[in-house]
Amino acid sequence: MSCYLITGGTPLRGTVRVRGAKNSALKLMAASLLAEGTYRLREVPQIADIETMRLVLRRLGCDARFEDGTMAIEVPAAVGGEAPYELVRQMRASIVVLGPLLARRGRARVAMPGGCNIGSRKIDLHLKGLERMGATIGFDHGYLEASGGLHGAEIVLDWPSHGATENICMAATLAKGTTVIENAARDPEIQDLSAMLSDMGARISGAGTPTIVVEGTDALRAVEHTVLPDRLEAGTYLIAAAATGGDVTVEGARGGHLEIALSKLADSGAEVDAGPASVRLRMPGTPRPVDFVTLPYPGFPTDLQPQMMVLCAIASGTSIATENVFENRFMFVDELVRMGADIRTEGHHAVIRGRPRLEAAPVRAPDIRAGAALAIAGLVADGETELSGVDHIERGYESFDDRLRALGGRIERLDG
Ligand code: EPZ
């Protein structure tokens, strides 16, 4: 098991460039299943979750590989129909192959993704949406079996689920007739998916708004596409800069995709200079407390909640954080408390009483974002923190330790 050894106390300074967004690249790779041909996806991050999706595509008969930093995908005329448990269990986002496979082949068998460390992660909205479009979905020994020709439908999501919006959009591109998704997720990654689908020949409008309209078409074509920059990776480095009292410029970050997070960082005392292609953050003194509430985009991202909690843990007063998206996303708090944070959780609220300092302790990353947060805590704490479970962090962040080191962070990766 690998771990990071992190010595706190050095402010992060310098420039870091973000990669393409994991949560977009994974869906763009799935979207390639919709049409035969050669795809080239630029800026795909080289991280474990992308490797899992690459293996899913290979299992489905595609050839997917990195060539000079670009993901090249060859999709054959006939794709396979089964996404196996050993891959889906490693990454539940594999469920997004269901819509494209069903649309392209009229049949798909995908392992049921289980829960994970941040919640039970239901997929009922994906399935209800596809059923509204004419799919018949059954369960067989841990697998979802879906079949049926798809037609357009009006689908109102109970909650603006990111993944369900994407799965339904992709399925609708090849369905007969028009699909309208109401209460759709509005995340930038959905706009990126919509842009690639449009280039492929899909007729899709409204991505980025709560109503997406997709008129089905008979066939799509392979394309080249550049993945949009990762706003969550950018947000993580910016919060790390704030927590360590540093001065970091994140190149590639789009300020407009991080509006609420940046305004909360400004409330905490950071000087933020945000543009369309980079964001600079300087933290001149002790952070002030900030209250924040996670909500679907454009609300404060749940994927930056753990990192923000670390900033609140060293603030000059008491902050309140409310998590509305995932029920178990405070699981990492116990680890932060072991580092001296004063945090009390009650249901989906957390009261964080800021303290002047955190102290190093052996801690374990339970998931991608909480892992990044604990690394930030290590960069702030007195002494040497041993952070295990770094494979979780590396599912989502390319060269995380190298990048922090390049910013002056004292972090070392130990293999074994
Ligand atoms: C995506 O997950 C991201 N993952 C998550 O990032 C992110 O936290 C999340 O969106 C919210 O922004 C990927 O894109 C791969 P949801 P997704 O469907 O699509 C409930 C990371 O660290 N729900 O919007 O799974 C669900 O239980 C990850 O990069 C249903 O009830 O998120 C959750 O409480 C973690 N039924 C809420 O909605 C459904 O059918 C949000 O889920 C679907 C979801």
Side-chain angles (χ1 to χ4, degrees):
M1 287 288 247
S2 305
C3 71
Y4 293 153
L5 286 185
I6 308 169
T7 306
T10 309
L12 298 187
R13 293 189 196 286
T15 299
V16 60
R17 184 164 191 87
V18 279
R19 302 287 286 137
K22 164 181 86 79
N23 290 347
S24 188
L26 290 170
K27 324 308 167 58
L28 302 175
M29 290 170 75
S32 72
L33 292 165
L34 288 163
E36 178 188 358
T38 305
Y39 295 77
R40 292 185 69 77
L41 301 181
R42 292 176 287 265
E43 290 297 326
V44 174
Q46 300 205 19
I47 52 177
D49 274 10
I50 292 291
E51 176 60 11
T52 305
M53 186 56 97
R54 196 181 74 80
L55 296 176
V56 170
L57 291 184
R58 286 177 76 97
R59 215 31 121 73
L60 294 168
C62 308
D63 183 19
R65 67 179 74 163
F66 274 106
E67 284 173 3
D68 300 330
T70 293
M71 169 72 72
I73 307 171
E74 279 296 335
V75 179
V79 288
E82 179 168 318
Y85 180 60
E86 79 255 24
L87 294 175
V88 177
R89 96 185 146 79
Q90 284 176 41
M91 185 187 64
R92 52 183 318 293
S94 317
I95 187 71
V96 290
V97 300
L98 182 64
L101 286 179
L102 193 54
R104 174 100 184 270
R105 308 174 74 250
R107 182 168 287 280
R109 192 172 140 84
V110 176
M112 283 276 287
C116 69
N117 290 341
I118 60 175
S120 65
R121 312 285 301 263
K122 294 197 290 284
I123 53 163
D124 56 319
L125 302 175
H126 300 235
L127 304 187
K128 274 192 215 154
L130 296 172
E131 281 172 342
R132 292 271 302 162
M133 296 171 71
T136 303
I137 300 179
F139 301 93
D140 176 48
H141 295 90
Y143 276 75
L144 292 163
E145 293 206 320
S147 60
L150 298 181
H151 54 71
E154 178 140 352
I155 296 163
V156 184
L157 295 177
D158 296 354
W159 170 271
S161 155
H162 194 144
T165 302
E166 292 163 329
N167 231 338
I168 296 166
C169 271
M170 288 190 274
T173 58
L174 292 177
K176 288 209 178 334
T178 302
T179 299
V180 180
I181 310 171
E182 298 283 6
N183 198 24
R186 295 158 63 187
D187 304 74
E189 294 78 22
I190 288 166
Q191 297 176 49
D192 200 28
L193 174 64
S194 166
M196 176 163 135
L197 291 171
S198 295
D199 286 348
M200 289 170 69
R203 289 180 294 210
I204 175 164
S205 61
T209 77
T211 306
I212 299 179
V213 180
V214 188
E215 283 176 57
T217 181
D218 288 339
L220 300 171
R221 57 179 172 272
V223 292
E224 297 193 359
H225 185 85
T226 303
V227 183
L228 96 166
D230 196 320
R231 64 193 162 106
L232 304 171
E233 188 190 15
T236 300
Y237 290 121
L238 292 169
I239 297 173
T244 58
D247 178 353
V248 168
T249 299
V250 182
E251 279 183 358
R254 295 190 189 167
H257 290 170
L258 281 164
E259 260 178 26
I260 295 200
L262 295 182
S263 86
K264 291 291 170 187
L265 285 165
D267 289 349
S268 80
E271 292 165 11
V272 180
D273 214 341
S278 76
V279 178
R280 178 177 180 189
L281 181 145
R282 276 162 289 183
M283 179 58 102
T286 304
R288 292 193 290 263
V290 277
D291 296 343
F292 65 99
V293 175
T294 70
L295 282 171
Y297 190 86
F300 189 96
T302 175
D303 291 307
L304 293 179
Q305 176 261 104
Q307 301 90 315
M308 197 68 182
M309 294 270 270
V310 176
L311 186 66
C312 294
I314 52 163
S316 56
T318 299
S319 310
I320 298 178
T322 303
E323 170 60 54
N324 287 316
V325 181
F326 288 109
E327 73 263 33
N328 275 354
R329 226 169 187 173
F330 286 147
M331 291 276 284
F332 75 103
V333 162
D334 289 345
E335 295 296 89
L336 210 47
V337 167
R338 297 185 56 249
M339 296 180 73
D342 180 352
I343 305 178
R344 197 163 51 80
T345 59
E346 184 69 53
H348 63 136
H349 301 289
V351 177
I352 310 124
R353 291 195 179 83
R355 287 197 161 166
R357 57 177 53 86
L358 298 177
E359 59 197 47
V363 285
R364 187 170 175 76
D367 67 77
I368 303 175
R369 309 300 169 188
L374 291 167
I376 296 173
L379 291 168
V380 168
D382 288 344
E384 190 179 69
T385 293
E386 184 181 321
L387 172 57
S388 57
V390 301
D391 43 320
H392 284 296
I393 301 176
E394 293 170 0
R395 284 182 53 192
Y397 293 89
E398 186 183 292
S399 313
F400 189 60
D401 54 323
D402 291 341
R403 278 154 190 252
L404 288 174
R405 226 176 1 259
L407 293 172
R410 292 167 66 197
I411 174 167
E412 199 188 327
R413 188 181 197 284
L414 294 189
D415 292 323

